Amino acid sequence: ADSWQDLPAVLEVIQQTSPRIFAVGFSLGGAILAKHLQEHPESPIEAAALVAAPLQLHRTSEYLSSSLIGQVMSCALAVGVKLAYITSMRNSPHTAAVSTARVLMATRIQDIDDTIVVPMNGYKDRKDYYDSNSSPDVLHTVQIPLLVLNATDDPVVPPDAAYYKTTNPFVIHAETQGGGHLAWGAT
């Protein structure tokens, strides 16, 4: 989630060929985009959409642990990251602080955060990582048109109508009854 720090450089390159920039972030990509918009109000992005984006990483982590489907999703996400680690990241100099044994024992995405993300990026712990990369204020502070799309049956991002309420005229929050986590085409 801390890739939001890379976006200014990416946007600078995009601006060389495209005078107008509109952005869409899906899932963790949406969280990255939201954090960028919160931290860089001068961003060249003219409008954005966040689709099933976990804006509050603490709450998302807790929510994943609160239901069977969430636990299955957390395990599936952990398996995907473990495969990426084993096949391409393990020998990288960036993973020197990572314990391969602990990675292989990880069964939840929270374990991945603890064993890969935190040590690889210099965070004190998972709480520090989540605090540093959540964007709780973006809905109230963003100054560009922003569509936030969620589904009430998303097993990853908690449905929280109160959180998405804002008087910010730039924000439209749309919530569907179905769609899961990025599965609107299947409903």
Side-chain angles (χ1 to χ4, degrees), residues 32-111:
I32 291 166
L33 177 57
K35 184 66 174 179
H36 167 77
L37 293 173
Q38 180 176 299
E39 298 298 319
H40 297 278
E42 77 293 346
S43 175
I45 295 172
E46 294 182 38
L50 309 176
V51 181
L55 303 180
Q56 298 180 16
L57 298 177
H58 293 338
R59 296 225 27 225
T60 301
S61 176
E62 292 167 4
Y63 187 65
L64 277 169
S65 299
S66 70
S67 70
L68 179 60
I69 189 68
Q71 292 169 22
V72 170
M73 289 288 294
S74 181
C75 181
L77 291 167
V79 167
V81 175
K82 285 181 0 179
L83 287 173
Y85 176 81
I86 291 165
T87 59
S88 60
M89 293 170 50
R90 185 178 50 179
N91 296 321
S92 167
H94 301 292
T95 60
V98 176
S99 164
T100 299
R102 287 189 63 209
V103 170
L104 294 176
M105 292 187 310
T107 59
R108 309 169 309 142
I109 197 64
Q110 295 90 337
D111 300 331

Side-chain angles (χ1 to χ4, degrees), residues 1 19-20 24 36 45 47 85 100-101 117-118 125 133 140 152 162 174 181:
R20 302 188 76 191
V24 178
H36 167 77
I45 295 172
Y85 176 81
T100 299
V117 178
V118 167
D125 53 27
N133 294 288
H140 307 291
T152 57
H181 189 69

Side-chain angles (χ1 to χ4, degrees), residues 1-6 28 32 57 117 121-123 129 132-133:
D2 71 352
S3 295
W4 64 269
Q5 298 174 55
D6 300 330
L28 195 55
I32 291 166
L57 298 177
V117 178
N121 295 289
Y123 294 105
Y129 165 59
S132 298
N133 294 288

Side-chain angles (χ1 to χ4, degrees), residues 109-147:
I109 197 64
Q110 295 90 337
D111 300 331
I112 294 296
D113 291 340
D114 289 336
T115 59
I116 296 178
V117 178
V118 167
M120 205 168 122
N121 295 289
Y123 294 105
K124 290 184 294 195
D125 53 27
R126 186 176 356 134
K127 181 184 180 324
D128 182 35
Y129 165 59
Y130 290 168
D131 286 346
S132 298
N133 294 288
S134 291
S135 50
D137 299 325
V138 69
L139 301 180
H140 307 291
T141 60
V142 68
Q143 295 294 303
I144 61 168
L146 177 66
L147 171 65

Side-chain angles (χ1 to χ4, degrees), residues 151-155 176-185 187:
T152 57
D153 65 343
D154 188 333
T176 62
Q177 294 302 309
H181 189 69
L182 305 177
W184 281 276
T187 59

